[in-house]
């Protein structure tokens, strides 16, 4: 890429590096979240689209990781990526709560080499970051990106082993179990950011079935100082819940383009992982990029039953 | 008994009751209405007892427990009795001893339970709710609640009526 205007380049970096913050909703939709018996199959649709939960845009290509009630890793079976959606099956043989997760961890950012700003290639992560930055690069700006998309399925009574946190990105700690939701009781959850209570996170809640109504019926909530949020449900059904720092359309910190970019901010941000060369303040043309912020997001699909 | 919560529920509902002088009996009558529908399957039915401050107690579960159903041993659709499933069913193992029965045809079905035998513990005096939930394949679902008060000695009868999937439900308790 050979941008003549560094400002344009900066916008492009952000737009490409964090498409999730700009458009389209990523979702997984299980055929059941609550099952009885001892040996069941559940199938899941996984896609990226605007309307929930209609697969009409892109499939979710990643193969999810399954955590079983006993803490061991389970298997995704019959994974198939179609034009508009991926599908896969889970064979449930244990009693308790299963987690199906797609976690994306990456590093995005840019550097200046021979007077040109280049962005880090897609697929850069903390492990290969050093190799991605050529010798002689200056004004390296990087930030980590951790996005999680998780669903929960319970055979028998709900259990809590799959909620063990890792301290990376945004994670859900149940107060109300996500497979124990009914319309006449609020759903209460705590969200952690990098292992600590995620205060002030934006929680976007949208009921499925968007195609057949005019209003989005979206709720935009904020977590409190302890990272807790209480969601009041409307009709029974599947709800898409997204948690991040700026809301769906990127207002506020970490939310993507549109925010003010401080002039003259030093290059090499605090969020840069160790090992990345830190460099001087200004890019070519004297317009620094401004801070590149770490981006964290969490998505889940919750089934809310009639009482 | 296959309840995982047996000890707890016995202690909870029967709490404070001295050894019963004469055994309590609880007579249940549940009517499954006749349906004029193209495709009819007998409903799954769960009957349970609730008392404030006590763990709920399953008294009857009627489902395809004999393994002849097409999918598994019939347990797959127990969760469709969703209130019972959430309140108590999901913590049980199936087939549960003493409460499991086959699905029943339309008509009135009577069950007589004696405290201390099978699923019915000795009942402490108090306010109870007898709950009946029916869920029918390709049909609807309904819960009927029958509140009653048991003072420990005086025979009492309570009844309530469903509107769609259940007819009259009557509970009588005496000693």
């Amino acid at each position: 890429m050979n941008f003549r205007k560094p400002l344009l380049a900066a916008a492009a970096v952000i737009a490409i590096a964090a498409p999730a913050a700009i458009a389209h909703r990523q979702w997984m939709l299980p055929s059941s979240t609550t099952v009885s018996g001892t040996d069941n199959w559940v199938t899941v649709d996984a896609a990226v689209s605007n309307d929930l939960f209609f697969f009409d845009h892109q499939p979710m290509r990643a193969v999810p990781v399954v955590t079983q009630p006993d803490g061991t890793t389970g298997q995704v079976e019959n994974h198939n990526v179609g034009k508009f959606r991926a599908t896969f099956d889970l064979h449930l043989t244990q009693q308790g709560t299963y987690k199906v997760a797609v976690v994306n961890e990456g590093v995005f950012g840019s550097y200046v080499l021979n007077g040109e700003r280049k962005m880090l290639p897609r697929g850069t992560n903390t492990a290969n970051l050093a190799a991605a930055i050529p010798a002689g690069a200056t004004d390296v700006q990087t930030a980590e990106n951790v996005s999680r998309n998780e669903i929960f399925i319970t055979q028998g009574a709900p259990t809590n082993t799959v909620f063990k946190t890792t301290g990376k990105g945004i994670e859900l700690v149940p107060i109300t179990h996500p497979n124990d939701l009914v319309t006449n009781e609020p759903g209460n959850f705590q969200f952690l950011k990098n292992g600590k209570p995620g205060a002030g996170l934006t929680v976007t809640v949208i009921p499925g079935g968007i195609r057949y109504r005019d209003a989005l019926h979206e709720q935009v909530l904020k977590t409190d100082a302890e990272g807790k949020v209480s969601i009041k449900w409307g009709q029974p059904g599947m709800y898409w819940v997204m948690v991040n720092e700026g809301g769906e359309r990127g207002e506020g910190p970490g939310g993507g383009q549109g925010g003010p970019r401080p002039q003259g901010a030093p290059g090499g941000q605090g969020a840069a992982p160790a090992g990345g060369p830190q460099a001087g303040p200004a890019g070519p043309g004297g317009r620094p990029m401004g801070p590149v912020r770490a981006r964290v997001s969490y998505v889940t699909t919750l089934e809310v039953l009639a009482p | 008994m296959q309840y995982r919560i047996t000890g707890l529920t016995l202690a909870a509902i029967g709490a404070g009751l001295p050894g019963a002088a004469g055994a309590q009996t609880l007579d249940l009558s549940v009517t499954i209405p006749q349906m004029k529908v193209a495709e009819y399957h007998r409903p799954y039915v769960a009957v349970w007892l609730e008392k404030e401050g006590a763990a709920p107690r399953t008294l009857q579960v009627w489902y395809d427990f004999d393994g002849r159903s097409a999918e598994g041993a019939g347990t797959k659709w127990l969760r469709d009795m969703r209130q019972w499933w959430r309140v108590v069913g999901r913590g049980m193992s199936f087939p549960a001893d003493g409460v499991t029965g086959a699905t029943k045809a339309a008509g009135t079905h009577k069950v007589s339970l004696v405290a201390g035998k099978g699923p019915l513990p000795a009942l402490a005096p108090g306010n109870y709710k007898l709950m009946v939930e029916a869920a029918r394949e390709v049909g609807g679902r309904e819960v009927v609640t029958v509140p009653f008060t048991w003072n420990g000695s005086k025979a009492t009868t309570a009844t309530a009526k469903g509107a769609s999937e259940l007819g009259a439900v009557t509970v009588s308790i005496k000693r």
Side-chain angles (χ1 to χ4, degrees), chain A residues 162-176:
Chain A
V162 297
F163 299 103
K164 206 168 109 181
T165 55
T166 64
K168 295 196 91 171
I170 298 179
E171 294 177 282
L172 179 147
V173 177
I175 302 169
T176 315

Side-chain angles (χ1 to χ4, degrees), chain B residues 10 23-24 113-123:
Chain B
L10 277 173
Q24 300 161 346
L113 299 168
V114 178
K117 290 181 187 168
L120 185 69
L123 299 183

Side-chain angles (χ1 to χ4, degrees), chain A residues 32 34 36-37 157 180 185 306, chain B residues 75-76 79 82 85-86 90:
Chain A
S32 287
T34 302
S36 51
D180 193 22
E185 295 175 13
Chain B
T75 52
K76 179 171 177 177
R79 61 104 198 259
R82 59 176 186 262
W85 184 249
R86 182 167 188 252
R90 68 190 183 185

